[in-house]
Amino acid sequence: MKRAGFATRWLPILLLLPQLAIIAVFFYWPAAHAVQSSFYLEDPFGFGSSFVGFDNYTHLTSSSEYARIAKFTLLFTVLVTFFSLALALLLAVKADNVIRGAKTYRTLLMWVYAVAPPVAGFIGLLMFNQSWGPLTELARSIGWDFKLGVNFDDTATAMVLVSVWKQVPVNFIFFLSGLQSIPKSVREAALIDAKSSFRRFWDVTFPLLAPTGFFLLIINITYALFDTFGVVDTLVKGEPGNNPMTLVYKVYVDGFRGNDLGGSSAQSVILMVLVLALTVFQFRLVERRIHYT
Amino acid sequence: MKNIAISSAAALSMLANTAFAETEITWWHAMGGALGETVNEIAEGFNASQDEYTITPVFKGTYEETLTAGIAAFRAGEQPNIMQVFDAGAATVIAAEGATVPVQNLLEANDVGFDIEDYISGVRYFYADADGKMIGMPFNSSSPIMYYNVQALEAAGVTPPVTWEEFETVTAPALKKAGFTAMSQSHLPWIFVENFMSRHDLPFATNANGYDGADGTEILVNIDPLKAHFTALTKWQDAGYFEWFGTGWGDNQTPFEEGKVAIWFGSSGSFGGLSKKDLGFDFSATYLPYWEAVTTEPKQTFIGGAALFAMAGQPDEEDAATAAFFKYLTSPEVQYMWHRETGYVPITTAAYEMATADGHYDRAPAAETGILQLSLDAGENTRGYRMGFYVQIRDVMNREFGRILTGEASVDDAFAAIETEANELLARFAKTQN
């Protein structure tokens, strides 16, 4: 194999420069700023600030409320990731088998993808309206006195449902294309070897879907952690009260609503470390064990 | 070369003279929907009233979003001339000396007459500093009042309760019998804490309710009268006298509008909206009840809503424009128009007298409730409060009250938690002030 290369050392750097500049300005600089301000308590208008060392962090670690929100975020992430992957996989397998009207099914299933998170949240708000929401009435008809915005668990349920509903189409598209890229010959061979479709799925299809699956796993964890902000904000109507919220939402509540810049920065630094850990996990562990063909 | 520079400079300055004959100022506000239209009407009225200045109102979202946008703009040196800041954000903006020009100084420096006595009494000192100097110009001022469904009270054969004791023993049981939920309210921290303190003349925080400075200010909510009130709320909830529909403002207002709830505690500023709705029943309003067990001399409430702050760092002619606008805004005609359209109280006595003379309160007696309540006797603790990071303190209160009302926490535990967390936040805020 012939190695392609640049004749000078400066040309590649020059070509990389625009991209590096953008990363530096829009990522490293704000990130460094966040780290710096997490060690200060600052007057919102910027007239005074005092260095407090790790106070903002110890304040968080000693706060039972922060621990409660962290626990909820973990549970929320697990539930949203699991259900949106499982449902999408189920739908993709079923849609893959459909021959007649396949296009219509696929379009219908992908449809929700175009809905923005706040809009999804708003639809959720309508569905779970306290006095006339169809889903509230459905819950009441089975004896569940569903109260969005009043009961912690009910609000959490609505958040999970709306977030899953919003995420299923993305996963569905990936799973479906993953399924359709499995060579026909492999499927036919499997058909001969295993009679039960259940076995065929677990022994042949599922492992071949693994790269797609692991990719989606990371995407979904990130989605549940960060992109559900709009859903959470709409469902709690900007006033969390005793309703559940996620860690990202807490950053917003303290920083943008409450003007506590130091405390909010410390929280975003914690989230940044979390993202870093996820990235390392993805590249080091997952990518090494999964074989792309 | 030199010639070109001189002539182009001359041309530029001529251009400047013609193009900028009018001084332009901007006003960032949080008034959406119908309120925003009325704001635009005021701005247009001001622009038409003279030809020296032009004001441009800009809607920036919720109160919190407007404050955050204003802070960010100030830090970038791009602040608007006027920024609307709500009651809970007052401590943040007033504590930041140098961020705003005190409205009293602004008006005096620009020879616009100013006399704090012109303003109605519940309005005067909320946005003032410790010495009583007015820092922000009260704009959309409101106070919580008690709205009631006239037909529902008639059906139950009761009159609006004056005390909470009367509500508990007479009003609520009768309303329940007549098939109503007796009461709901919007915004527990504002109505049942902040104004509860004022109505009963109880101290809300040390350091003269926080007016004397952030250092060492501690909240005083963990007290028996307040805990007794919330204990009563839980009892009333169990008895079907009171229902809590969540932290959202509208969630608690809707059942009243639907006729399910007979008495609703809301804002005097809700009057305009309620009267424009086709409710299917007559409504009226009166003062917040008080606990006879706590006081026999109930006092005034203070204003909620928001005030306008003149941001510092603007050229003199723009400050003059801002002063001229404030003068226009506080004129009786404009205040009366704002009051009539929105239900917010007129902030000056002159505007109130104009509304009275015009027969506004004969046509709509409930429209007067807020201003009357704000003008009741003042007490030691009725001018308001000044606490930093107060938006978060309200969030903590909302959370704990939610826990009380859903049975997740006892009243004692909830108030202890509020006290601890609020004092932590206050101490953190005090540290930012060094």
Side-chain angles (χ1 to χ4, degrees):
Chain A
M1 200 160 60
K2 196 185 156 200
R3 281 192 63 173
F6 289 101
T8 70
R9 189 145 46 110
W10 296 109
L11 185 63
I13 293 174
L14 191 75
L15 291 173
L16 272 174
L17 218 53
Q19 178 76 19
L20 288 176
I22 287 172
I23 293 175
V25 170
F26 290 101
F27 184 73
Y28 288 114
W29 185 70
H33 213 75
V35 172
Q36 188 204 14
S37 72
S38 72
F39 295 114
Y40 285 85
L41 264 175
E42 194 178 3
D43 164 61
F45 281 89
F47 286 111
S49 62
S50 43
F51 182 78
V52 292
F54 281 92
D55 270 15
N56 286 326
Y57 293 96
T58 49
H59 174 70
L60 289 176
T61 48
S62 65
S63 153
S64 59
E65 182 57 21
Y66 193 72
R68 190 170 95 124
I69 295 171
K71 260 183 232 157
F72 172 76
T73 310
L74 183 70
L75 179 72
F76 176 79
T77 308
V78 169
L79 289 176
V80 170
T81 308
F82 175 76
F83 283 113
S84 39
L85 285 175
L87 269 175
L89 184 59
L90 184 75
L91 289 170
V93 170
K94 294 292 171 203
D96 192 39
N97 294 335
V98 172
I99 298 161
R100 199 179 298 165
K103 262 197 176 158
T104 322
Y105 282 118
R106 280 173 213 166
T107 314
L108 278 175
L109 283 166
M110 287 178 204
W111 209 24
V112 192
Y113 183 44
V115 176
V119 178
F122 187 70
I123 293 171
L125 214 52
L126 295 179
M127 299 304 275
F128 289 110
N129 184 295
Q130 271 185 37
S131 41
W132 46 259
L135 289 179
T136 308
E137 280 175 11
L138 183 76
R140 282 194 188 143
S141 70
I142 57 163
W144 179 2
D145 189 16
F146 194 96
K147 279 192 175 149
L148 179 75
V150 175
N151 185 304
F152 184 94
D153 296 334
D154 291 354
T155 313
T157 309
M159 278 176 187
V160 171
L161 274 178
V162 175
S163 305
V164 167
W165 174 69
K166 169 86 192 76
Q167 185 63 6
V168 162
V170 189
N171 298 342
F172 169 76
I173 296 167
F174 278 97
F175 274 133
L176 189 64
S177 58
L179 282 171
Q180 291 183 339
S181 66
I182 295 173
K184 217 176 174 185
S185 52
V186 176
R187 292 188 189 212
E188 277 164 0
L191 210 57
I192 297 165
D193 286 345
K195 214 174 173 191
S196 114
S197 65
F198 187 75
R199 281 246 68 87
R200 283 203 301 278
F201 177 77
W202 285 113
D203 293 344
V204 180
T205 318
F206 194 72
L208 284 169
L209 269 182
T212 316
F214 274 107
F215 164 76
L216 284 179
L217 181 70
I218 301 291
I219 293 288
N220 278 267
I221 291 174
T222 332
Y223 163 79
L225 279 174
F226 299 99
D227 288 353
T228 49
F229 179 90
V231 173
V232 176
D233 187 48
T234 344
L235 284 177
V236 301
K237 297 172 191 159
E239 297 263 8
N242 71 324
N243 291 303
M245 57 175 145
T246 55
L247 288 171
V248 170
Y249 198 71
K250 174 83 172 153
V251 172
Y252 161 77
V253 165
D254 287 352
F256 288 81
R257 265 171 64 88
N259 294 306
D260 178 3
L261 301 179
S264 173
S265 297
Q267 293 175 33
S268 30
V269 170
I270 291 176
L271 286 176
M272 217 149 68
V273 171
L274 195 69
V275 175
L276 211 66
L278 261 176
T279 319
V280 170
F281 171 76
Q282 185 185 9
F283 281 102
R284 283 289 153 85
L285 283 156
V286 175
E287 302 254 317
R288 225 181 252 172
R289 276 155 214 256
I290 301 297
H291 301 283
Y292 295 94
T293 42
Chain B
M1 208 44 202
K2 210 175 184 183
N3 279 341
I4 296 173
I6 291 170
S7 59
S8 59
L12 262 177
S13 68
M14 273 174 71
L15 250 176
N17 277 336
T18 47
F20 301 120
E22 291 189 352
T23 306
E24 295 184 19
I25 54 170
T26 46
W27 170 18
W28 286 6
H29 66 81
M31 308 270 86
L35 289 173
E37 282 164 32
T38 316
V39 160
N40 291 340
E41 224 174 284
I42 292 176
E44 280 160 25
F46 174 69
N47 293 339
S49 72
Q50 40 72 46
D51 49 17
E52 271 179 90
Y53 313 117
T54 311
I55 192 164
T56 316
V58 183
F59 174 61
K60 295 300 259 187
T62 63
Y63 281 141
E64 288 91 353
E65 286 162 357
T66 307
L67 178 61
T68 307
I71 288 172
F74 183 83
R75 297 181 69 135
E78 304 278 338
Q79 67 272 33
N81 300 81
I82 302 172
M83 179 165 80
Q84 187 185 19
V85 179
F86 66 134
D87 50 5
T92 305
V93 68
I94 292 175
E97 270 176 57
T100 66
V101 182
V103 66
Q104 191 163 336
N105 295 0
L106 181 87
L107 295 181
E108 280 163 1
N110 288 287
D111 296 324
V112 178
F114 178 86
D115 182 358
I116 206 160
E117 299 293 321
D118 289 345
Y119 297 83
I120 63 168
S121 83
V123 164
R124 276 173 212 158
Y125 295 110
F126 191 92
Y127 296 102
D129 65 10
D131 306 325
K133 183 204 274 179
M134 203 185 261
I135 310 291
M137 170 63 76
F139 171 55
N140 54 321
S141 304
S142 56
S143 209
I145 54 175
M146 180 172 78
Y147 288 96
Y148 57 90
N149 178 329
V150 176
Q151 276 85 22
L153 264 64
E154 271 169 15
V158 288
T159 50
V162 176
T163 63
W164 284 115
E165 282 88 351
E166 183 190 345
F167 173 84
E168 182 171 55
T169 53
V170 182
T171 325
L175 282 167
K176 197 196 170 192
K177 221 175 194 178
F180 295 94
T181 300
M183 183 252 289
S184 74
Q185 70 70 49
S186 294
H187 211 320
L188 287 160
W190 184 45
I191 302 178
F192 285 168
V193 180
E194 294 156 27
N195 280 285
F196 183 96
M197 296 300 198
S198 183
R199 196 89 173 97
H200 296 92
D201 202 12
L202 297 165
F204 189 15
T206 57
N207 280 348
N209 279 3
Y211 278 93
D212 289 348
D215 228 15
T217 297
E218 293 198 341
I219 202 165
L220 300 171
V221 285
N222 202 358
I223 51 165
D224 289 337
L226 206 48
K227 286 199 276 187
H229 184 66
F230 277 83
T231 308
L233 283 179
T234 58
K235 269 199 305 183
W236 298 342
Q237 202 181 13
D238 295 340
Y241 300 164
F242 164 61
E243 196 168 346
W244 181 68
F245 299 91
T247 312
W249 181 281
D251 292 337
N252 295 287
Q253 184 177 348
T254 310
F256 174 72
E257 290 174 355
E258 288 170 346
K260 284 185 215 156
V261 167
I263 294 173
W264 170 62
F265 291 87
S267 161
S268 62
S270 308
F271 176 79
L274 278 176
S275 27
K276 277 170 197 146
K277 274 184 187 147
D278 185 20
L279 289 180
F281 60 85
D282 297 323
F283 75 90
S284 192
T286 187
Y287 304 154
L288 296 185
Y290 59 94
W291 285 98
E292 227 170 352
V294 181
T295 180
T296 47
E297 289 169 27
K299 296 291 190 284
Q300 62 177 204
T301 50
F302 51 78
I303 50 168
L308 303 184
F309 287 85
M311 302 301 287
Q314 306 289 11
D316 288 346
E317 67 268 20
E318 291 189 14
D319 280 347
T322 304
F325 175 69
F326 282 163
K327 187 187 176 194
Y328 176 81
L329 184 71
T330 48
S331 68
E333 294 79 13
V334 176
Q335 279 299 312
Y336 176 35
M337 183 275 261
W338 174 246
H339 170 51
R340 197 182 52 225
E341 292 301 315
T342 64
Y344 284 111
V345 298
I347 55 171
T348 62
T349 321
Y352 173 49
E353 280 163 7
M354 180 180 260
T356 313
D358 191 48
H360 183 52
Y361 305 126
D362 298 331
R363 292 188 292 271
E368 199 179 7
T369 310
I371 188 170
L372 287 176
Q373 190 179 261
L374 285 166
S375 309
L376 293 173
D377 287 343
E380 289 278 297
N381 303 294
T382 58
R383 70 172 178 165
Y385 61 90
R386 183 67 38 81
M387 284 184 256
F389 286 156
Y390 194 71
V391 176
Q392 282 157 286
I393 296 177
R394 268 189 181 170
D395 282 341
V396 172
M397 287 189 198
N398 270 323
R399 190 191 75 219
E400 291 302 323
F401 296 157
R403 284 186 192 162
I404 293 176
L405 295 172
T406 51
E408 288 170 56
S410 71
V411 172
D412 284 336
D413 290 349
F415 276 94
I418 294 170
E419 186 180 38
T420 314
E421 286 187 45
N423 284 339
E424 253 171 42
L425 284 163
L426 288 170
R428 281 166 64 77
F429 184 77
K431 266 192 203 168
T432 68
Q433 298 301 306
N434 297 323

